[in-house]
Amino acid sequence: MINRTIALAKYKGTFEQPDIFGYYGGFGGAYIPEMLYPNVEELKSRYLKIMYEDDFQKEFRALLKDYVGRPSPLYHAKRLSEKHGTTIFLKREDLNHTGAHKINNTIGQLLLARRLGKHRIIAETGAGQHGVATATVCALMDMQCVVYMGEKDIERQAPNVARMKMLGATVIPATSGSKTLKDATNEAIRDWINNPVDTHYIIGSVVGPHPYPDMVARFQSIISEEMRWQLKEHTGSEFPTHVVACVGGGSNAAGAFYHYLEEFAVQLVAVEAAGCGIRSGMSAATTQLGKAGILHGSKSLVMQTEDGQVVEPHSISAGLDYPGIGPLHAHLYETGRALFLSATDEEAIDAAFELTRLEGIIPALESAHAIAGLDQLKLTSKDTVVVCLSGRGDKDMAAYMKAMGE
Amino acid sequence: MNRIQQLFKTKSSGVLNIYCTAGYPQLDSTLKVMKALQDNGAGIIELGMPYSDPLADGPVIQESGGVALQNGMTLKVLFEQLKIMRNTAGSGITVPVILMGYMNPVLQYGFEKFCADASATGVDGLILPDLPIREFETEYGPVIRKYGLDFIFLVTPETPEERIRKIDALSTGFIYAVSSSSTTGKDKNFSEVELYLQKLQDMQLKNPVLVGFGIKDKITFQSACKYANGAIIGSAYIKALNENPAVGETTKKFLESILK
């Protein structure tokens, strides 16, 4: 901990942006086979220019407002605040169309894909939230949509599979390897290799080769952009003492942290999924269990065996069940800029019930990890905490019913 | 001059490079497979190091890697096996041997230690498709050179000419021309590819060129050889081993079907 504090004090770079090669400190880059080079290079050379053009921003902002329903409310959770003896605001990404923050990114990337002249969209999905968000926007914009999903996840997440199909997407089971999110990601990348000209790959998190981590973080940064002015309206200050978000790959956390990354007075708190416990062998807490390595095209922390084979993580929350973490977050961990906590499956379930009974909000299991993280912070009445409530709990009702013994 | 350069000096056309997966079909069949390949006419052996997430490979090769991992194959085990590879009393492998794999296991093993062990066991070159040019130039290339290993880059039909020139300048041994933008084991119309191979030939690169991906039989091998110094077969051979795991018999039959 001391080392990290010193490292942070000495740190002279910016946290918001990677360097021109896509590195956040020692993490990032584009470790891709030559077959992907033209696609990634095209994206790298054009994404910033396209996404900050006036007509792009106009279209993007209009869709976020009228289609997604932004700005999402910043809600003062009074009873939750009382329980923790502090002031807590919830950033209500769960109220977005399709029920989570994922759609901020899929709209942005789809508008970008159109301007790149692509007419076929591919995506990977774990629990199906990113797949649904992608299929939704493809329906809206009349694009062909193919979603790769692990065979095991297809069995576990039937309602989301049905939603994607109803939206017109083709859902292709990933049958290789462990048949879950990491394999769905492999299959999507292979599809992109085989269809280099007409296809854009919408990665759902701040992972993958440069420029994806930066591009997805920028699309999700609308979360903290709104938080700043909304918090000012509530409290008179744009700055909370803490911003808390759950981290799998880390896209909602990247969005919630983004406009506070250079404000060192704001404590950023990332909550990972400990699964059955960090030492249980059934966990997804990548910063605690991972080592530096290369997965899905970037250098980051990766859960792996000592022989460098990627291991299958475990979390009750399918959205946090990923053996890597975005390179930005690996850098925030390494430098001490963010505090990394973890919550077990059980703690997340308890937190979900607590939030539901205190505030009448049923959170997604992913977001419940962020709520569970509050118990580990020493909060006082002087603190102002913003928790990113990344998604709603409809998709997790089976797990919640099981917890109620039904 | 190493074995790869020696080979192309004496044989500038029709070089057959066969891919096999270390530890497949059995953990200890690595050298047996390599010997059978050499005895039946393979000019180069590309030995795959199995990985849980092989992005550039298709399902056939990934599955063989999965089996190899289940069998207990690791880099440590592999280098242990390869110790007697060049030993005349041992395996007596005399053809060039190239290790193909992905960066993550190599980084965990220790990049320099990996190069040192590869060199010490008699490996001639490396293919690491997810090692980018920039990181090769700044970090890893000098280590690879220090141990006298060749490094083989890939080019594809989508690679711009300027970049092909750069890749040619950085490569040693040969250049791996991916016959179409695809993962291994995919069928593509081969005639589409011929224009691109012709372009590569016209560029008069300093390195020999071997064509890979989509080469699966005598016809595709011979078409590739018209434009390049040879070709690489992977999935089709692994598929043959899948169907009949009797290494000697399968390898003899398979190579005869290509070369005879």
Side-chain angles (χ1 to χ4, degrees):
Chain A
M1 209 58 211
I2 290 162
N3 287 342
R4 292 222 171 80
T5 311
I6 293 168
L8 182 60
K10 285 184 182 164
Y11 185 69
K12 292 283 186 284
T14 66
F15 286 97
E16 281 171 17
Q17 285 182 33
D19 69 17
I20 57 163
F21 304 108
Y23 282 92
Y24 300 89
F27 301 109
Y31 292 80
I32 49 165
E34 186 63 25
M35 294 82 92
L36 281 178
Y37 176 81
N39 283 339
V40 171
E41 186 61 23
E42 180 186 37
L43 206 55
K44 195 179 98 183
S45 61
R46 297 185 62 188
Y47 79 110
L48 287 176
K49 190 170 175 292
I50 292 175
M51 66 189 278
Y52 291 106
E53 274 166 5
D54 287 347
D55 77 302
F56 183 98
Q57 280 296 320
K58 219 174 131 190
E59 200 178 349
F60 180 53
R61 298 274 164 168
L63 282 167
L64 288 182
K65 176 171 174 280
D66 301 327
Y67 188 69
V68 177
R70 302 202 73 95
S72 66
L74 186 72
Y75 164 68
H76 181 200
K78 293 195 188 66
R79 296 187 66 208
L80 186 69
S81 298
E82 220 167 86
K83 188 227 153 183
H84 288 280
T86 188
T87 305
I88 298 172
F89 290 90
L90 302 176
K91 181 60 176 160
R92 299 290 308 274
E93 294 298 302
D94 60 317
L95 294 177
N96 291 340
H97 180 41
T98 72
H101 69 290
K102 292 288 187 188
I103 198 159
N104 303 330
N105 170 48
T106 56
I107 287 184
Q109 283 202 50
L110 213 106
L111 293 176
L112 188 83
R114 270 185 163 183
R115 283 160 173 81
L116 292 171
K118 310 282 181 177
H119 39 79
R120 180 171 174 272
I121 296 295
I122 55 172
E124 84 295 337
T125 196
Q129 290 305 100
H130 173 57
V132 168
T134 304
T136 298
V137 184
C138 284
L140 175 71
M141 300 190 197
D142 192 22
M143 295 273 254
Q144 194 191 337
C145 179
V146 174
V147 179
Y148 288 88
M149 189 168 182
E151 202 172 44
K152 277 190 196 158
D153 291 332
I154 287 180
E155 287 164 24
R156 293 192 285 198
Q157 309 286 342
N160 271 345
V161 176
R163 289 166 82 194
M164 286 185 272
K165 286 184 176 164
M166 186 169 170
L167 288 158
T170 307
V171 180
I172 301 183
T175 56
S176 62
S178 52
K179 304 177 174 58
T180 57
L181 176 58
K182 96 179 160 65
D183 308 282
T185 308
N186 291 339
E187 293 300 331
I189 293 174
R190 285 180 179 139
D191 180 308
W192 209 22
I193 289 174
N194 289 317
N195 299 285
V197 181
D198 65 336
T199 299
H200 176 72
Y201 175 25
I202 300 190
I203 295 184
S205 192
V206 286
V207 301
H210 177 61
Y212 278 102
D214 183 47
M215 180 171 68
V216 176
R218 284 169 190 267
F219 285 135
Q220 291 294 359
S221 71
I222 186 73
I223 299 173
S224 49
E225 184 187 311
E226 291 173 0
M227 273 159 52
R228 285 183 72 144
W229 63 259
Q230 289 173 319
L231 197 64
K232 193 166 187 193
E233 280 184 3
H234 278 285
T235 68
S237 167
E238 293 174 51
F239 304 107
T241 53
H242 301 74
V243 178
V244 184
C246 64
V247 177
S251 70
N252 93 84
F257 293 170
Y258 197 87
H259 291 288
Y260 294 113
L261 285 168
E262 306 299 328
E263 309 293 342
F264 289 3
V266 179
Q267 175 68 67
L268 307 176
V269 182
V271 186
E272 293 184 289
C276 301
I278 285 177
R279 310 275 161 237
S280 66
M282 298 271 286
S283 178
T286 304
T287 61
Q288 305 305 307
L289 298 167
K291 286 178 290 182
I294 291 164
L295 179 65
H296 298 141
S298 64
K299 195 175 209 180
S300 190
L301 295 168
V302 179
M303 288 172 60
Q304 53 188 309
T305 66
E306 60 178 49
D307 300 314
Q309 306 296 337
V310 181
V311 301
E312 193 52 25
H314 165 82
S315 167
I316 191 171
S317 141
L320 303 181
D321 206 354
Y322 183 69
I325 187 169
L328 164 66
H329 294 297
H331 183 49
L332 296 179
Y333 173 73
E334 225 26 48
T335 55
R337 174 64 191 97
L339 173 65
F340 278 73
L341 306 174
S342 64
T344 63
D345 292 352
E346 211 182 317
E347 288 163 346
I349 291 268
D350 289 348
F353 276 88
E354 180 184 276
L355 183 70
T356 304
R357 300 288 164 85
L358 287 175
E359 301 288 349
I361 296 169
I362 301 178
L365 270 168
E366 290 78 11
S367 322
H369 284 74
I371 302 290
L374 293 171
D375 290 328
Q376 298 168 45
L377 295 170
K378 294 182 183 71
L379 300 169
T380 71
S381 59
K382 287 179 186 145
D383 291 322
T384 306
V385 183
V386 177
V387 181
C388 187
L389 202 72
S390 56
R392 61 175 173 243
D394 309 32
K395 68 183 178 62
D396 297 313
M397 285 316 295
Y400 293 148
M401 282 162 77
K402 200 174 156 201
M404 291 186 289
E406 280 178 20
Chain B
M1 197 181 298
N2 71 18
R3 289 182 197 89
I4 299 174
Q5 288 147 11
Q6 202 101 47
L7 169 76
F8 286 108
K9 210 183 159 200
T10 53
K11 186 173 168 141
S12 63
S13 67
V15 172
L16 176 60
N17 177 343
I18 301 271
Y19 170 95
C20 57
T21 302
Y24 178 85
Q26 269 89 48
L27 180 63
D28 58 4
S29 53
T30 312
L31 288 170
K32 207 166 126 192
V33 169
M34 293 170 76
K35 187 69 166 50
L37 287 171
Q38 171 174 290
D39 289 350
N40 289 287
I44 302 178
I45 295 166
E46 183 185 329
L47 186 58
M49 303 175 281
Y51 178 46
S52 54
D53 296 80
L55 280 184
D57 287 303
V60 174
I61 288 179
Q62 173 159 13
E63 270 165 39
S64 71
V67 172
L69 291 174
Q70 289 265 309
N71 290 343
M73 181 48 73
T74 64
L75 284 178
K76 221 169 139 189
V77 171
L78 178 60
F79 285 127
E80 204 51 51
Q81 290 182 349
L82 294 186
K83 268 184 183 163
I84 56 161
M85 172 172 80
R86 298 299 187 188
N87 190 335
T88 39
S91 293
I93 303 291
T94 55
V95 298
V97 173
I98 292 155
L99 289 180
M100 184 274 176
Y102 294 83
M103 281 295 281
N104 197 54
V106 174
L107 289 179
Q108 295 312 313
Y109 190 79
F111 197 85
E112 178 146 13
K113 184 168 182 283
F114 170 81
C115 292
D117 288 356
S119 180
T121 51
V123 167
D124 304 287
L126 304 176
I127 301 176
L128 298 168
D130 59 350
L131 172 55
I133 287 182
R134 181 184 163 265
E135 280 72 11
F136 175 87
E137 285 184 295
T138 54
E139 199 172 349
Y140 301 105
V143 184
I144 295 167
R145 301 277 179 257
K146 182 176 159 192
Y147 291 93
L149 297 165
D150 282 340
F151 193 83
I152 292 119
F153 280 98
L154 278 58
V155 301
T156 80
E158 261 71 49
T159 311
E161 188 164 332
E162 195 187 334
R163 189 170 164 86
I164 295 175
R165 294 274 175 217
K166 175 156 197 179
I167 285 171
D168 187 40
L170 290 174
S171 297
T172 48
F174 62 88
I175 285 176
Y176 190 137
V178 177
S179 65
S180 62
S181 287
S182 67
T183 46
T184 55
K186 281 258 168 179
D187 283 337
K188 290 266 164 148
N189 183 359
F190 204 80
S191 63
E192 289 172 26
V193 177
E194 295 187 319
L195 275 176
Y196 146 73
L197 294 178
Q198 182 71 56
K199 181 183 105 176
L200 282 181
Q201 198 176 33
D202 293 346
M203 284 179 73
Q204 304 205 336
L205 304 173
K206 81 170 167 74
N207 285 286
V209 174
L210 295 187
V211 182
F213 290 41
I215 313 297
K216 56 178 179 184
D217 51 24
K218 191 172 183 166
I219 296 170
T220 46
F221 177 66
Q222 286 181 342
S223 327
C225 288
K226 267 192 266 170
Y227 302 96
N229 305 84
I232 303 164
I233 298 180
S235 298
Y237 174 61
I238 300 290
K239 218 181 251 173
L241 278 179
N242 268 343
E243 280 156 20
N244 180 6
V247 170
E249 193 186 318
T250 299
T251 307
K252 184 164 186 284
K253 217 171 115 192
F254 186 80
L255 287 192
E256 273 176 1
S257 77
I258 309 285
L259 294 171
K260 287 270 157 71

